[in-house]
Amino acid sequence: MNGTRLLKPQHTSETKDVCRVVVLGYPGVGKTALVVRFLTKRFLGEYCPTLESIYRYSSDKSDEDDVRMDILDTAGHADTQSCWNEGYALWGDCFVLVYSITEEISFKEVQNLRHLLEAAKRQNAYFCVLVGNKNDLVYDRQVTTSQGQELADDIGCKFYEVSACEWNQLPQVVDIFIDLHATWRRSKQARDGRPRKSSSSTKFRQAIQKVISGKSSNVKK
């Protein structure tokens, strides 16, 4: 896995509430750009496509509304069937399946990944979202929005079509990860028999919107 070692999670007080998210997709679809946009609010135009990294995210809240995730940004492979590592499925709680709307082959790839994931997880519960990236490149589109929605409906997951490079789409990028975490947390609380609390995701989105509004105002000036 290009140097990335997936450790079996230790269920300590520090790790038991950490959601493990795996970002999967064909090479060049913008997986790293999405992760970096979410984590830093910046767009990363250039990066090494062969590296895999695990990022720790925390909203740093002192109560149970703290959003904590370990995000594995995987290196895409043109031949997924031979390069697929079942460790992805065994390590992750949630999965972000990413394709580019400008590459039909990347759309077919997420369908392959979906089947590999289901086979690896077998009867174990997991959560995923489908993301069509690069929707700013409308004239190069090869995959329609309806095709993406139909696949998401077939998988039974949420569908997002975004552009990681567009600043005004930051809220949608944030939604991908925050909504996925919220779904995982609700399931975990149900298993643990804990009562549900109102989510802090709305406040988080409001804070993001203020940042965007502030930046837009500065640009106009």
Side-chain angles (χ1 to χ4, degrees):
M1 294 177 60
N2 299 316
T4 300
R5 185 184 178 193
L6 300 184
L7 300 177
K8 183 177 180 181
Q10 302 296 316
H11 296 290
T12 66
S13 58
E14 293 185 355
T15 63
K16 67 178 182 178
D17 289 324
V18 176
C19 176
R20 298 182 300 278
V21 180
V22 183
V23 184
L24 297 165
Y26 195 73
V29 296
K31 298 184 297 296
T32 299
L34 284 169
V35 173
V36 171
R37 177 64 94 180
F38 169 67
L39 293 172
T40 70
K41 312 302 179 283
R42 295 178 296 176
F43 173 65
L44 184 63
E46 295 183 1
Y47 57 92
C48 180
T50 61
L51 295 180
E52 291 185 339
S53 302
I54 297 178
Y55 302 91
R56 168 62 59 87
Y57 171 82
S58 175
S59 59
D60 294 325
K61 292 183 178 295
S62 59
D63 56 20
E64 291 185 6
D65 280 336
D66 184 24
V67 175
R68 291 193 291 170
M69 289 181 276
D70 281 347
I71 303 174
L72 170 59
D73 176 23
T74 65
H77 300 286
D79 184 5
T80 299
Q81 197 68 41
S82 62
C83 297
W84 168 253
N85 190 317
E86 199 167 281
Y88 295 147
L90 299 178
W91 183 83
D93 300 308
C94 303
F95 302 85
V96 182
L97 304 179
V98 186
Y99 68 91
S100 168
I101 70 161
T102 66
E103 290 184 283
E104 186 178 7
I105 189 173
S106 70
F107 185 65
K108 293 179 179 178
E109 183 67 4
V110 293
Q111 297 177 58
N112 293 333
L113 287 167
R114 174 259 185 108
H115 294 306
L116 290 169
L117 188 56
E118 288 178 346
K121 281 294 189 181
R122 298 179 179 88
Q123 301 301 318
N124 296 323
Y126 69 95
F127 310 98
C128 72
V129 294
L130 179 65
V131 179
N133 192 27
K134 305 186 182 182
N135 74 349
D136 57 306
L137 303 177
V138 291
Y139 296 108
D140 297 321
R141 180 187 286 274
Q142 295 182 8
V143 183
T144 66
T145 302
S146 60
Q147 284 178 295
Q149 186 62 64
E150 287 173 8
L151 178 57
D153 291 342
D154 186 49
I155 297 173
C157 69
K158 283 190 175 183
F159 171 61
Y160 301 84
E161 198 175 272
V162 301
S163 172
C165 74
E166 295 291 323
W167 170 254
N168 62 2
Q169 293 196 40
L170 174 59
Q172 291 93 314
V173 174
V174 169
D175 283 348
I176 292 169
F177 294 92
I178 296 301
D179 287 348
L180 196 55
H181 178 274
T183 301
W184 169 82
R185 169 170 279 174
R186 285 194 297 270
S187 175
K188 186 176 186 302
Q189 288 177 338
R191 292 196 309 271
D192 295 345
R194 289 187 290 171
R196 294 182 181 179
K197 290 187 61 179
S198 58
S199 173
S200 62
S201 58
T202 300
K203 293 181 180 179
F204 188 91
R205 293 189 185 94
Q206 290 173 344
I208 291 296
Q209 194 59 53
K210 286 182 180 179
V211 172
I212 293 175
S213 299
K215 184 167 183 177
S216 299
S217 298
N218 291 334
V219 171
K220 291 179 181 178
K221 292 178 181 179

